[in-house]
Amino acid sequence: MRLFERYRGIVCDLDGVVYRGPEAVPHAVEALQSAHAAGVGVAYATNNASRPPQQVYEQLRGLGLDLELRDVLTSAQAGARHLAEVLPAGGRVLAIGGPGVRLALQESGLQPVLPSQLEAAAAQQESFEPVLAVLQGFGPDVSSSDLSQGAFAIQEGALWVVTNNDTTLPTARGLAPGNGALVGALKHAVGIEPTVVGKPEAPLYLVCAQVLGCEPSETLAVGDRLDTDLAGAVASGMDGLYVRTGVSRPVDVALADHSMRPRYIAADLRALTQEYDEAEVQSGQGEVQASCGQARVSLGASLELHEGGTPSQRLRAFVAACWAAEELDPSTWGDVDSWVDAGETS
């Protein structure tokens, strides 16, 4: 049985899983198309709140994916829906971030207010109706002035909701500062914690399950980041598939706390279309041995990485050995990434 056949729906992260910047991640489109063609529902959930869903939809279509606009869900939409539940209709909300934040507020029946509008009113000493909340999401043009307006509003009593806390954002050139870095700056200024609605919190995933018409237990969450995608899967009651095409590395998975451990582990999204090889573990005399297919790992006083196996099999064997071991000393492990990558072509 292919992995995607175990589920009625898939919630798939975007940055670092489907694409990096404008380019598709290798094998991602083909794998997701196979699941879609077999009747498995696929929702695309992203913590990147900077763009409207329409832009994300068009990019995915341009990469060759079959989907509907409703299949794209952003953390900005989750944040706006949360605020719409606690604020009166038409309530004024300071929108910090890209156009996706403003659009999500409008769609939820709230009135977005731009930081520049508050700044202009203050500069002209005009009276203005205070905002009831601040919705902060990522935007490439967010400025220190925008953050200042957010700080003033929060200190005056506005609710503070942030779309996500990702400290970094994968791009074609590498990792860039993410929304979490900007949230951190504002948090230092106001001294309080915001409400987070995106991954790793459950709301975004649960909204996706509703759109797919699936229970969380029938849904597979796919992602590259342990602290957001996979922690969100655990929090929402979904099985998680980690792919190492984005941020988190094999050693990160090996050291992961139970609150963010994936149910499945793979080098890339081809795992969706394949039978899943489970790793087998044996322990004794102070040593753990793990195997998956032709991949084999021994972990005792030292780590031994043997030849054989595909990158996915090597990754699973390595992580299984580490999860079964009582003590870990990653400083002695060497270059695990290169060993995983050197596996036989799958």
Side-chain angles (χ1 to χ4, degrees):
M1 176 183 290
R2 292 172 293 182
L3 181 56
F4 70 69
E5 293 174 332
R6 301 184 183 187
Y7 299 91
R8 291 183 55 219
I10 295 172
V11 179
C12 190
D13 181 51
L14 292 175
D15 292 304
V17 177
V18 179
Y19 52 61
R20 299 188 196 99
E23 303 296 328
V25 170
H27 315 296
V29 171
E30 297 85 351
L32 291 166
Q33 281 292 92
S34 294
H36 175 77
V40 178
V42 183
Y44 297 91
T46 178
N47 265 1
N48 185 344
S50 63
R51 297 191 295 167
Q54 179 72 37
Q55 290 185 10
V56 179
Y57 164 79
E58 291 173 355
Q59 180 178 357
L60 294 175
R61 292 283 294 182
L63 294 177
L65 286 165
D66 290 329
L67 73 157
E68 303 295 332
L69 179 58
R70 71 182 187 91
D71 298 328
V72 176
L73 294 129
T74 72
S75 56
Q77 291 172 302
R81 292 185 187 192
H82 171 79
L83 286 173
E85 293 176 354
V86 298
L87 298 180
R92 288 164 53 85
V93 179
L94 179 61
I96 298 178
V101 176
R102 299 192 294 274
L103 180 61
L105 289 169
Q106 291 172 337
E107 291 177 340
S108 295
L110 299 170
Q111 180 183 350
V113 179
L114 301 181
S116 59
Q117 292 175 302
L118 296 184
E119 184 178 19
Q124 298 174 17
Q125 298 184 333
E126 297 178 351
S127 61
F128 54 87
E129 182 183 351
V131 296
L132 301 178
V134 175
L135 179 58
Q136 181 180 1
F138 180 77
D141 298 321
V142 171
S143 67
S144 60
S145 177
D146 295 342
L147 298 180
S148 294
Q149 294 302 320
F152 301 150
I154 294 165
Q155 292 172 81
E156 292 166 358
L159 299 175
W160 183 22
V161 174
V162 302
T163 60
N164 65 296
N165 244 342
D166 298 37
T167 55
T168 59
L169 177 69
T171 72
R173 293 184 58 189
L175 297 179
N179 194 52
L182 302 177
V183 170
L186 191 48
K187 186 161 56 176
H188 282 297
V190 301
I192 66 172
E193 293 288 334
T195 297
V196 183
V197 295
K199 298 175 285 186
E201 306 304 323
L204 180 56
Y205 274 155
L206 296 179
V207 169
C208 289
Q210 292 174 356
V211 169
L212 291 170
C214 302
E215 295 296 324
S217 60
E218 302 173 311
T219 310
L220 177 67
V222 182
D224 66 302
R225 294 184 65 124
L226 295 171
D227 59 344
T228 57
D229 304 323
L230 282 310
V234 174
S236 60
M238 297 180 183
D239 286 342
L241 166 63
Y242 158 81
V243 288
R244 65 152 304 195
T245 52
V247 175
S248 296
R249 312 314 303 163
V251 171
D252 300 325
V253 184
L255 300 175
D257 180 82
H258 285 277
S259 64
M260 58 184 72
R261 285 187 180 181
R263 167 64 180 85
Y264 306 103
I265 298 168
D268 55 58
L269 275 183
R270 281 177 293 184
L272 285 176
T273 65
Q274 301 167 348
E275 292 188 11
Y276 190 83
D277 297 327
E278 300 280 3
E280 298 181 357
V281 178
Q282 293 182 335
S283 301
Q285 299 182 338
E287 183 177 79
V288 175
Q289 293 192 359
S291 62
C292 182
Q294 300 302 310
R296 189 164 62 89
V297 171
S298 302
L299 179 58
S302 62
L303 174 68
E304 295 183 30
L305 304 171
H306 305 279
E307 296 299 319
T310 67
S312 287
Q313 291 171 340
R314 290 186 173 201
L315 185 55
R316 292 168 197 161
F318 166 67
V319 172
C322 292
W323 285 358
E326 295 183 0
E327 295 184 7
L328 298 174
D329 183 8
S331 66
T332 66
W333 289 353
D335 190 353
V336 176
D337 281 25
S338 294
W339 173 76
V340 170
D341 291 337
E344 302 163 3
T345 302
S346 58

